[in-house]
Amino acid sequence: MSRFLSRKFAGVEPYVPGEQPRGGSFLKLNTNENPYPPSPRVLNALSRGEAEKLHLYSDPAAAGLVGAIAARFGLAPENVFVGNGSDEVLAFSFLAFGGDAPFLCPALSYGFYPVFARLLGARYEAVPLREDFSLDAEAFVGCGKNVVIANPNAPTGLAVSRQTVRRIARSNPDRVVVIDEAYVDFGGESAVPLVPECDNLLVVQTFSKSRALAGMRIGFALGNPALIADLNTMKFSFNPYNLDRLALLAGQAAIADEEYLADCTRRICATRAKTAAALRALGFAVTDSKANFLFVRPRGISGPALFAALRARGVLVRRWDDPEISDWLRVTIGSEDEMARFVAVTGEILQEAAR
Ligand SMILES: *Cc1c(COP(=O)(O)O)cnc(C)c1O
């Protein structure tokens, strides 16, 4: 910290992203990236001719991408906000709506929420999950606070129904309810159909996971036009050209390829089921994940020991030190081959530990 940093930021603890190794050959199952490349339509959209236009600014209204997303979800362009990754959309949400009431979040969830709150001047309160990691929905019903819930949740993978989201949104009519659907395409029930009836609901999604564009940084929010206008006030007061020209084109191409999305997510869900069965056969506890990762607790070895042994063999997964989950690992679903290798390496480690 320099002696110049604003005093109000002295206690900020930044979010720590999963490791992104540069060299070496790692099996990377630690940041929930899609194992498959983006849609071929995306690759075609990123032509040399488009790159040559990079001397020009991108469209600050992002009209092409906003229109394509609106059409995809049966909403109007006024219902759509796009950001530089859903992280930026979430940040603008904390910035815009966190001034008057705290944000209530599940205690075990996306680690960025408390960081955004701290940085952007919003208060943050956490509700513990139940023993089985399920959401204590009643704590959010009629809470009178803003709400942020990841659905499906990370790192647990557990999802709540649209009906539960509706109850939370309808019972807090004077607060904003943000549903972070980063993983919804892998088996969750989306809250998007509630947007027309709940003017306090913001549904946030990303192109990073199911649409295989983590490196392009595209996220969006769907909500009432007044909420979307507020997010645009934040954006135009901060970074009007928040998506670059190539990202806008890639996003439009990706949203148009429904078939590719369905195919990719179907494959990942099939691999998830197979991997879960293999790990259960090895004695693991495995939650009922509706995301592109599994949340698992090994038997016969501690979580930290398995994490270290995997890493020593070039396999990266994610774990946290929070006491309730210190023995659990979050494992991204890769390709069939990658997961077969993961299961084989894990089996070897367990055998060695048993000796
Ligand atoms: C990955 C993730 C995001 C952020 O994704 P972006 O790449 O910024 O779009 C947001 N929320 C959750 C819960 C995530 O796991």
Side-chain angles (χ1 to χ4, degrees):
M1 185 178 88
S2 79
R3 65 183 195 280
F4 306 107
L5 182 69
S6 301
R7 228 172 325 154
K8 65 176 177 176
F9 294 136
V12 167
E13 283 186 42
Y15 176 72
V16 183
E19 194 178 347
Q20 298 288 358
R22 266 145 208 268
S25 67
F26 286 94
L27 175 49
K28 225 181 140 297
L29 305 176
N30 65 333
T31 50
N32 297 343
E33 287 143 323
N34 200 307
Y36 304 112
S39 156
R41 294 203 205 180
V42 170
L43 306 183
N44 287 335
L46 303 178
S47 65
R48 188 191 169 92
E50 292 300 338
E52 280 171 349
K53 295 184 200 154
L54 285 172
H55 64 109
L56 301 171
Y57 277 110
S58 56
D59 173 15
L65 179 58
V66 162
I69 293 172
R72 159 67 171 75
F73 290 96
L75 294 166
E78 294 71 33
N79 294 115
V80 181
F81 176 82
V82 294
N84 194 273
S86 57
D87 285 339
E88 189 188 59
V89 179
L90 292 164
F92 284 147
S93 305
F94 277 89
L95 184 63
F97 308 117
D100 301 331
F103 273 97
L104 194 63
C105 305
L108 276 179
S109 191
Y110 189 33
F112 224 142
Y113 302 148
V115 177
F116 285 138
R118 172 69 182 81
L119 184 75
L120 300 168
R123 276 172 296 147
Y124 170 86
E125 294 176 15
V127 176
L129 294 178
R130 297 208 197 90
E131 192 94 7
D132 63 357
F133 298 142
S134 62
L135 184 80
D136 180 7
E138 295 313 314
F140 293 87
V141 172
C143 65
K145 294 163 186 167
N146 297 309
V147 170
V148 177
I149 293 173
N151 187 36
N153 193 23
T156 63
L158 299 184
V160 296
S161 68
R162 182 180 304 141
Q163 193 50 37
T164 297
V165 172
R166 177 194 266 123
R167 271 208 310 137
I168 293 170
R170 304 265 288 225
S171 63
N172 296 293
D174 298 321
R175 299 294 175 217
V176 176
V177 173
V178 179
I179 304 298
D180 179 354
E181 296 189 345
Y183 300 104
V184 75
D185 295 326
F186 301 102
E189 195 180 16
S190 177
V192 171
L194 304 177
V195 164
E197 67 172 271
C198 300
D199 69 356
N200 60 332
L201 177 67
L202 259 189
V203 180
V204 178
Q205 293 192 9
T206 177
F207 283 56
S208 296
K209 314 285 168 49
S210 59
R211 290 193 168 82
L213 280 171
M216 202 42 117
R217 315 304 307 128
I218 310 172
F220 60 97
L222 305 174
N224 181 272
L227 289 179
I228 298 302
D230 291 339
L231 292 179
N232 274 310
T233 300
M234 301 299 109
K235 166 183 137 160
F236 281 93
S237 308
F238 183 79
N239 184 12
Y241 308 104
N242 61 339
L243 273 90
D244 65 70
R245 299 182 72 93
L246 299 181
L248 292 175
L249 289 171
Q252 253 183 276
I255 202 94
D257 201 345
E258 277 304 315
E259 226 173 288
Y260 189 82
L261 171 76
D263 188 49
C264 252
T265 51
R266 203 180 318 112
R267 283 157 80 177
I268 290 167
C269 290
T271 307
R272 177 180 71 199
K274 205 163 150 183
T275 308
L279 291 177
R280 286 194 179 107
L282 289 172
F284 280 64
V286 182
T287 66
D288 179 25
S289 173
K290 304 290 189 205
N292 67 338
F293 55 81
L294 289 172
F295 196 51
V296 304
R297 186 188 58 208
R299 194 174 65 191
I301 188 171
S302 74
L306 177 55
F307 178 88
L310 285 167
R311 196 173 193 298
R313 287 163 176 78
V315 180
L316 300 181
V317 299
R318 197 100 203 253
R319 73 166 286 282
W320 290 267
D321 284 326
D322 308 53
E324 320 90 289
I325 55 167
S326 63
D327 266 325
W328 290 77
L329 304 181
R330 192 196 69 190
V331 183
T332 302
I333 301 299
S335 67
E336 280 287 312
D337 286 355
E338 287 174 329
M339 298 321 284
R341 197 175 131 216
F342 169 77
V343 170
V345 170
T346 301
E348 284 165 28
I349 293 168
L350 293 185
Q351 277 192 348
E352 270 178 41
R355 265 195 228 120

